[in-house]
Amino acid sequence: MERRHLNPIRILADADAVAQEAAQVIAAEARSAVAACGRFIVAVSGGRTPWRMLRALAGEDLPWKGVHVVQVDERIAPAGDPDRNLTHLRESLLEHAPLPPEHIHAMPVDQADLEAAARSYARTLEEIAGTPPVLDLAQLGLGPDGHTASLVPQDPVLNVTDQDVALTGLYQERRRMTLTYPALNRSRRILWVVTGAEKAAMLVRLRDGDISIPAGRIRREQAFMLADRAAAGALGEV
């Protein structure tokens, strides 16, 4: 398979600058989508920088009634647990923006039957984003091991091609529910948000199109990356 460099990559001073810029990118996409179609569907990841991004996004003047937020992935943990991405999503965005609460579509990881819960979330995506669901923008991160979403190395979830939502095995002591490659690769736009020196080696591999890491299998067309100087330290000229 031919490798294609990820382009463009914008390098910013630090994680705060990346979060601010990411919020502005999402805001611009939201305004455009709502003006054109009446709706903007964004999938967001967890992590310190995305949470800052969401807090900055909450301060943007947006057509909030047309915005829908779905989760890229979620840990299997009780409601309100600090390990839950939803906990921080609500604290960062919902408590500070006039987003209708029902427009945050939480992964139902507190259900007893997790396989049924994954199927239920896939139906939720179809209800708001069509069949098959097409997200307007998916915001993704990059782990030091090359994972993105909860598409983690050596997990069977990497091979799922017939479901938009699936479950992982144990990863860092918890199972996860995650959007799969088919769901993410259907997105109209991919926004990578990558910060921290521990990501530097994997960022080079992602930039170079290394499909041996999970993140390298995300489609590169219409992808845009924001990275801080620490994460981009090994890139050289981009």
Side-chain angles (χ1 to χ4, degrees):
M1 181 179 296
E2 180 184 359
R3 291 184 175 185
R4 297 176 57 194
H5 280 198
L6 191 66
N7 187 55
I9 301 174
R10 184 171 183 194
I11 299 171
L12 298 160
D14 54 27
D16 283 334
V18 169
Q20 292 289 331
E21 182 68 16
Q24 292 177 26
V25 169
I26 294 172
E29 293 284 329
R31 295 185 190 104
S32 177
V34 173
C37 307
R39 179 175 289 190
F40 174 67
I41 304 162
V42 58
V44 297
S45 300
R48 288 186 296 274
T49 303
W51 298 331
R52 293 180 208 169
M53 173 197 76
L54 291 172
R55 183 64 185 88
L57 184 65
E60 293 282 338
D61 182 15
L62 293 182
W64 288 105
K65 290 183 179 180
V67 174
H68 290 257
V69 180
V70 303
Q71 292 189 271
V72 168
D73 61 337
E74 181 61 283
R75 295 173 181 86
I76 309 302
D81 193 294
D83 275 356
R84 288 278 298 272
N85 289 335
L86 180 64
T87 302
H88 300 279
L89 174 56
R90 286 175 168 161
E91 291 173 351
S92 300
L93 184 61
L94 189 58
E95 292 181 7
H96 301 280
L99 175 70
E102 64 273 17
H103 285 194
I104 289 185
H105 303 277
M107 286 183 160
V109 297
D110 46 4
Q111 293 186 14
D113 186 338
L114 290 173
E115 295 288 351
R119 293 192 296 270
S120 173
Y121 200 66
R123 289 192 296 271
T124 295
L125 295 180
E126 291 179 349
E127 289 168 3
I128 62 174
T131 305
V134 178
L135 305 171
D136 291 301
L137 185 146
Q139 174 266 310
L140 297 176
L142 176 68
D145 60 358
H147 85 267
T148 192
S150 283
L151 301 170
V152 300
Q154 300 179 337
D155 193 287
V157 76
L158 299 178
N159 300 317
V160 173
T161 59
D162 59 350
Q163 302 171 50
D164 285 340
V165 185
L167 298 161
T168 73
L170 281 177
Y171 177 72
Q172 296 177 352
E173 300 182 354
R174 290 196 186 275
R175 296 187 72 196
R176 288 94 181 305
M177 185 178 292
T178 186
L179 300 186
T180 60
Y181 286 120
L184 292 171
N185 284 334
R186 242 184 264 122
S187 302
R188 293 188 174 92
R189 195 100 193 264
I190 300 288
L191 174 63
W192 292 95
V193 173
V194 184
T195 59
E198 71 279 9
K199 316 286 181 64
M202 284 299 166
L203 184 52
V204 172
R205 294 174 67 177
L206 176 60
R207 188 273 310 270
D208 291 345
D210 184 349
I211 61 172
S212 72
I213 63 171
R217 292 168 58 184
I218 297 294
R219 68 186 286 261
R220 310 176 72 73
E221 297 80 11
Q222 299 301 314
F224 180 73
M225 178 178 289
L226 300 172
D228 68 358
R229 287 176 183 159
L235 286 179
E237 295 295 326
V238 298

